[in-house]
């Protein structure tokens, strides 16, 4: 495996140009001051309640656990010219994915063209036949997309960005992006007078604008709500945070009801019509009359109102058909098919275990590859070959042989590293980036995103549920 690309160090003795000002500042900071700043950040995050629940994890007394996502004090810095190119690539990718989802539920031209196998769509666990022929405002299905980007080293020592994953259903993490920036400005105000860092604080305004833009056409002043599964959901802090930041109501399924083909919420002043629902509830739980009859998280009759065009759902039902790992390898073809353009951001090379040649290669090279469950998430259901034991590889081999269609494999990319403040001092740790792309009447995004960092030395798993942390992401102004 090639050495990692270091975001800050060009060589062992030289710092990349866009990090030079920060590097000079960092060299002057005593370690005990940085340590006390980290403790202050942790205290404030805990006081504000910026936690996430870890499903299946238990404290010593047997209760479920709520954890802080560790916050690292050293920012990830991206120069303006790199961000401009990444932004173009993200807009291109999300536009093509939205076109693909519309096509799946309408004319299915990409299937007829033979570019995506029909069974990859119709047997996909996220395909929703109930959405066939349903027109959504502006043809936009994924209004809020989280695209996971990694950087890997090239043979010449430069680094290239790759898309690792598309999150189009209910991507989370944007609240940490906003809170991380607020924390950095509180702890190190002098850094922001020394560096021209693009702002991110206007994200909630952009989100609300995006949501209002897809309201039913006849509505002038749309009522927007955030629908949460409730306080026991792992991302509940984010649901409450975004509702509060946008100045809209946070509701649960029991707060909503359907009457005369419209959705209403119960309020102390009586029923109020709802026009746009930013839902953080999975498809299966949205409408017990159509999907899971035992769901108490959604609203009975919601799909009928949605089909009639009397309420907008963000993101749309059935969007997950495009963020499945088995569909990911086809995205470059989608970009060419729908937009007539070459992809600006490349995929990581991917082997489809459902194809005989790919399966043979994967089984012969399990110890070198990262193998993922097609429907896996959160860093679970995957094998990191170079870090796995012989027993783990043997067990995974049986699983892949039994259900090859349930797995994809990729080369073990050495994710780029960024200096990170850990117990032993400042050391490189692997990172990725999740920019948040908003699609309404236009495609827009705030500069940067959520940088996730694998805090364990050598680990490539950045997910918070697996011990990862987060950093502030600085895009420097041009």
């Amino acid at each position: 495996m090639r050495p990692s690309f270091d975001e800050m160090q060009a060589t062992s003795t030289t710092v990349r140009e866009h990090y030079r000002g920060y590097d000079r500042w960092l060299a002057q900071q005593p370690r005990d001051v940085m340590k006390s700043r980290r403790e202050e950040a942790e205290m404030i995050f805990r006081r504000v309640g910026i936690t996430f629940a870890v499903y299946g994890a238990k404290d010593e007394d047997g209760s479920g656990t709520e954890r802080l996502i560790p916050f690292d004090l050293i920012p990830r810095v991206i120069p303006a010219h790199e961000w401009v190119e990444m932004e173009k690539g993200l807009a291109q990718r999300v536009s093509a994915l939205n076109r693909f989802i519309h096509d799946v539920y309408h004319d299915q031209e990409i299937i007829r063209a033979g570019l995506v196998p029909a069974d990859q769509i119709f047997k996909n666990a996220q395909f929703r036949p109930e959405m066939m022929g349903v027109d959504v405002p502006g043809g936009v299905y994924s209004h809020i997309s989280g695209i996971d980007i990694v950087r890997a080293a090239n043979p010449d020592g430069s680094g290239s960005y790759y898309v690792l994953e598309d999150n189009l259903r209910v991507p989370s993490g944007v609240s940490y992006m906003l809170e991380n920036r607020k924390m950095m400005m509180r702890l190190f105000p002098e850094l922001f007078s020394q560096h021209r860092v693009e702002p991110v604080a206007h994200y909630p305004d952009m989100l609300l604008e995006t949501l209002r833009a897809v309201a039913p056409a006849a509505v002038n002043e749309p009522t927007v709500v955030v629908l949460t599964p409730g306080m026991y959901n792992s991302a509940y802090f984010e649901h409450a945070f975004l509702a509060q930041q946008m100045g809209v109501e946070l509701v649960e399924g029991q707060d909503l009801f359907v009457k005369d083909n419209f959705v209403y919420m119960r309020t102390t002043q009586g029923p109020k019509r709802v026009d746009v629902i930013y839902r953080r509830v999975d498809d299966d739980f949205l409408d017990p009359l159509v999907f899971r009859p035992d769901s108490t998280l959604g609203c009975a009759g919601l799909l009928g109102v949605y089909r009639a065009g009397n309420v907008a759902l963000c993101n749309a039902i059935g969007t997950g058909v495009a963020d499945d790992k088995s569909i990911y390898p086809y995205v470059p073809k989608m970009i060419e098919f729908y937009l007539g353009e070459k992809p600006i951001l490349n995929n990581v090379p991917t082997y489809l275990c459902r194809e005989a040649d790919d399966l043979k290669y994967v089984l012969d090279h399990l110890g070198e590859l990262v193998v993922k469950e097609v429907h896996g998430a959160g860093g679970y259901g995957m094998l990191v070959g170079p870090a796995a034991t012989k027993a783990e590889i043997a067990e995974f081999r049986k699983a892949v042989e039994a259900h090859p269609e349930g797995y994809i494999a990729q080369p073990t990319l050495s994710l780029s590293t960024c200096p990170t403040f850990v117990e032993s001092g400042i050391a490189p740790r692997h990172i990725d980036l999740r920019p948040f792309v908003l699609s309404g009447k236009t495609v827009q995004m705030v500069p940067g995103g959520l940088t996730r960092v694998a805090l364990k030395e050598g680990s490539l798993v950045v997910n918070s549920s697996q011990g990862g942390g987060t950093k502030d992401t600085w895009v420097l102004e041009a």
Side-chain angles (χ1 to χ4, degrees):
M1 194 161 67
R2 212 174 273 141
S4 300
F5 178 89
D6 190 296
E7 298 285 341
M8 185 169 170
Q9 297 286 149
T11 68
S12 59
T13 55
T14 58
V15 172
R16 299 189 193 280
E17 187 179 343
H18 57 283
Y19 258 108
R20 282 178 193 161
Y22 180 81
D23 182 58
R24 285 192 296 272
W25 175 88
L26 184 61
Q28 296 165 5
Q29 304 311 305
R31 186 157 185 267
D32 58 338
V33 171
M34 292 292 281
K35 196 163 183 292
S36 71
R37 291 282 189 277
R38 184 172 66 185
E39 287 163 3
E40 185 181 342
E42 189 172 314
M43 179 192 71
I44 295 168
F45 278 152
R46 200 173 290 282
R47 196 168 65 215
V48 175
I50 306 175
T51 59
F52 74 104
V54 186
Y55 296 131
K58 299 288 181 188
D59 278 336
E60 288 174 12
D61 62 0
S63 63
T65 61
E66 285 227 336
R67 293 182 192 162
L68 282 178
I69 295 184
F71 168 64
D72 183 58
L73 302 176
I74 300 178
R76 188 247 183 97
V77 184
I78 299 172
H81 70 275
E82 284 185 10
W83 172 253
V84 167
E85 195 67 8
M86 195 189 303
E87 191 176 37
K88 284 184 198 159
L90 290 164
Q92 178 196 59
R93 190 174 182 98
V94 170
S95 298
L97 284 161
N98 270 310
R99 293 275 291 272
F100 168 71
I101 304 167
H102 180 270
D103 190 20
V104 162
Y105 293 115
H106 288 79
D107 300 331
Q108 300 174 350
E109 291 174 1
I110 201 163
I111 299 173
R112 290 207 303 275
L115 295 180
V116 180
D119 66 339
Q120 287 288 77
I121 292 167
F122 300 129
K123 290 182 181 175
N124 189 307
Q126 297 300 323
F127 174 70
R128 297 288 177 263
E130 299 85 358
M131 287 296 291
M132 289 300 295
V134 177
D135 289 319
V136 301
V140 177
Y141 287 77
S142 184
H143 309 85
I144 303 101
S145 310
I147 309 297
D148 291 348
I149 305 272
V150 296
R151 173 139 63 174
N154 296 319
D156 64 0
S158 65
S160 293
Y161 288 111
Y162 295 90
V163 174
L164 188 64
E165 203 167 282
D166 303 296
N167 299 282
L168 308 177
R169 281 175 275 174
V170 281
S172 63
V174 77
S175 59
Y176 302 110
M177 173 189 84
L178 296 169
E179 289 289 354
N180 287 353
R181 173 61 55 83
K182 210 188 300 182
M183 182 63 70
M184 286 293 283
M185 293 179 85
R186 176 178 182 147
L187 296 178
F188 309 111
E190 71 277 15
L191 280 173
F192 291 88
S193 56
Q194 295 169 19
H195 295 79
R196 293 172 53 185
V197 181
E198 292 270 16
V200 296
H202 57 297
Y203 175 86
D205 297 334
M206 283 172 56
L207 175 60
L208 183 59
E209 178 193 327
T210 298
L211 297 172
R212 289 168 64 94
V214 296
V219 180
N220 290 325
E221 286 297 320
T223 297
V224 177
V225 300
V226 177
L227 174 62
T228 176
M231 64 184 293
Y232 297 108
N233 183 267
S234 63
Y236 180 73
F237 164 77
E238 176 156 298
H239 308 163
F241 173 88
L242 289 174
Q244 185 263 329
Q245 292 286 307
M246 289 190 288
V248 305
E249 293 293 331
L250 179 69
V251 300
E252 296 183 31
Q254 64 202 19
D255 301 319
L256 303 177
F257 67 93
V258 167
K259 185 181 178 187
D260 300 331
N261 224 14
F262 290 98
V263 178
Y264 295 87
M265 68 172 153
R266 297 176 173 88
T267 77
T268 52
Q269 282 85 40
K272 180 165 187 183
R273 184 177 150 186
V274 173
D275 306 299
V276 182
I277 300 175
Y278 175 24
R279 52 96 173 202
R280 301 296 295 256
V281 174
D282 289 340
D283 287 356
D284 287 343
F285 299 93
L286 276 176
D287 186 344
L289 299 183
V290 182
F291 302 115
R292 284 184 57 154
D294 61 341
S295 172
T296 57
L297 302 178
C299 172
L302 179 61
L303 184 65
V305 182
Y306 184 48
R307 278 178 165 159
N310 292 336
V311 71
L313 292 176
C314 304
N315 289 343
I317 294 171
T319 298
V321 73
D323 80 358
D324 188 288
K325 291 182 181 69
S326 67
I327 292 295
Y328 161 91
Y330 300 101
V331 178
K333 289 180 182 175
M334 289 177 204
I335 292 168
E336 295 197 31
F337 184 72
Y338 296 115
L339 306 180
E341 299 168 2
K342 292 284 183 194
I344 297 168
L345 288 169
N346 290 317
N347 275 18
V348 177
T350 303
Y351 301 96
L352 293 166
C353 295
R354 67 196 297 280
E355 296 181 1
D357 289 349
D358 283 9
L359 175 63
K360 183 178 186 311
Y361 180 86
V362 169
L363 292 174
D364 287 347
H365 297 83
L366 274 178
E368 303 161 29
L369 300 169
V370 176
V371 190
K372 303 177 183 177
E373 279 184 6
V374 163
H375 304 305
Y380 296 100
M382 64 189 277
L383 175 82
V384 181
T389 64
K390 285 185 178 176
E392 287 167 340
I393 291 173
E395 194 177 329
F396 221 86
R397 177 185 299 278
K398 287 180 194 165
V400 174
E401 286 173 336
H403 298 287
E405 71 287 351
Y407 295 89
I408 62 165
Q410 295 168 330
T412 312
L413 283 188
S414 185
L415 311 188
S416 64
T417 60
C418 186
T420 301
F421 189 67
V422 294
E423 289 308 318
S424 58
I426 294 170
R429 291 291 184 268
H430 294 291
I431 57 170
D432 77 353
L433 176 67
R434 177 175 290 181
F436 295 90
V437 184
L438 297 173
S439 305
K441 286 196 167 77
T442 58
V443 178
Q444 52 185 344
M445 60 206 86
V446 295
L450 180 68
T451 290
R452 301 183 298 178
V453 53
L455 293 173
K456 293 174 190 164
E457 187 175 0
S459 172
L460 297 170
V461 181
V462 297
N463 305 76
S464 52
S465 54
Q466 304 268 323
T470 65
K471 289 172 170 284
D472 191 14
T473 309
W474 293 4
V475 173
L476 300 182
E477 290 181 0

